[in-house]
Amino acid sequence: MGAIGLIITIIAFAFIFIDFDLNLKYFALILLTLGFGLIGLTDDLIKVYKRRNEGLTFWQKIILQSVLAAAFSMFIMLGHHPQLKLFTFIHPIFYFLFSTFIIVGTANATNLTDGLNGLLAGTASIAFLAFGLLAIKSGHPYAATFCIIASGAIFAFLFFNFPRARVFMGDVGSLSIGAALAGIAIIIQKELWLMLIGGIFMIEALSVILQVISFKLFKKRVFKMTPLHHHFELMGKQEVWIVVGFWILAVVLGVTGVLI
């Protein structure tokens, strides 16, 4: 639960540098981030106090996340009719479902990525920085401000988490980071860019999905272990080099996402 301080830092600086009176969507983003953080906090507390490896059940987490994501998506759609760059004909109902799915999916993908010291913190900090540059290019100064705050706060957390972890993020951090990143992508209408800039998170989540499908259908495993970073661990790669390798890939994906 070490990311409690991380979330407080992001929220505190956001209240200092963002004018919420004229930009209620960023206040909604804060509530989304805080809400997913509280889900993660509840999950972490159950694990600690009941001394078991599982906290909230899968469906409890998905339902709570979906309610929060749906509320955020509805609020954003009521404020302005967002349209995907590649799908300007999309119906509002489908966009509502799409944006809700993006938030829940990204939050759980970042949760899966949080498995090695500094892996999520490093890749998430890079992703927020990339989205900050995208926000500047697309004329969203407050979105850029939020991204820079989040990137800086996560990077500060990384200082205590790599190469040896002194503070563990927990679900309170991993879920809130993913929700905030997806929320920013929706606000600046760069939803599809999330698949590129957040490619590390997608790869990690897809590795789990492929593993489950392959084992259920064919009784065979595609990877030695999932999420993907554990596959490389079982191949004998050192944790530090796995993390650094993922960081480098995150930089490449981030730069590509900003330039295209």
Side-chain angles (χ1 to χ4, degrees), residues 43-245:
D43 192 47
D44 288 335
L45 287 173
I46 292 174
K47 293 174 184 176
V48 171
Y49 287 109
K50 292 195 174 182
R51 297 183 180 181
R52 66 188 192 193
N53 200 33
E54 294 183 356
L56 294 171
T57 66
F58 171 80
W59 286 113
Q60 285 174 332
K61 286 188 282 189
I62 289 297
I63 291 172
L64 289 171
Q65 291 170 14
S66 297
V67 169
L68 287 174
F72 176 81
S73 297
M74 183 60 69
F75 180 83
I76 295 298
M77 291 185 69
L78 289 174
H80 62 279
H81 190 308
Q83 295 186 343
L84 296 173
K85 298 298 183 182
L86 299 181
F87 303 101
T88 55
F89 56 85
I90 194 167
H91 192 278
I93 293 296
F94 292 114
Y95 181 82
F96 168 74
L97 296 174
F98 177 71
S99 57
T100 300
F101 173 78
I102 284 178
I103 296 170
V104 175
T106 305
N108 284 280
T110 51
N111 182 243
L112 290 171
T113 305
D114 185 28
L116 299 178
N117 295 339
L119 178 56
L120 175 58
T123 53
S125 183
I126 293 167
F128 270 112
L129 186 58
F131 266 103
L133 295 174
L134 268 183
I136 293 172
K137 287 179 60 178
S138 56
H140 293 84
Y142 283 130
T145 300
F146 182 88
C147 288
I148 292 170
I149 290 170
S151 181
I154 296 169
F155 186 79
F157 177 88
L158 180 63
F159 178 81
F160 300 97
N161 196 241
F162 184 81
R164 181 177 297 176
R166 285 178 281 173
V167 181
F168 290 97
M169 183 178 292
D171 287 358
V172 62
S174 59
L175 289 177
S176 58
I177 285 173
L181 191 63
I184 280 292
I186 291 169
I187 286 175
I188 68 174
Q189 298 182 18
K190 295 291 184 181
E191 298 90 342
L192 297 184
W193 273 254
L194 187 60
M195 293 186 286
L196 178 60
I197 294 175
I200 293 293
F201 315 131
M202 283 196 62
I203 291 170
E204 292 275 46
L206 285 174
S207 70
V208 175
I209 295 171
L210 287 173
Q211 186 85 320
V212 171
I213 293 175
S214 178
F215 189 77
K216 291 287 187 181
L217 295 180
F218 309 110
K219 302 301 179 183
K220 292 184 179 180
R221 290 182 171 86
V222 179
F223 306 100
K224 293 178 181 296
M225 186 178 179
T226 55
L228 187 60
H229 53 262
H230 291 314
H231 171 77
F232 291 116
E233 275 191 301
L234 293 180
M235 287 178 63
K237 307 298 181 182
Q238 291 187 2
E239 179 178 337
V240 171
W241 293 114
I242 296 172
V243 172
V244 171

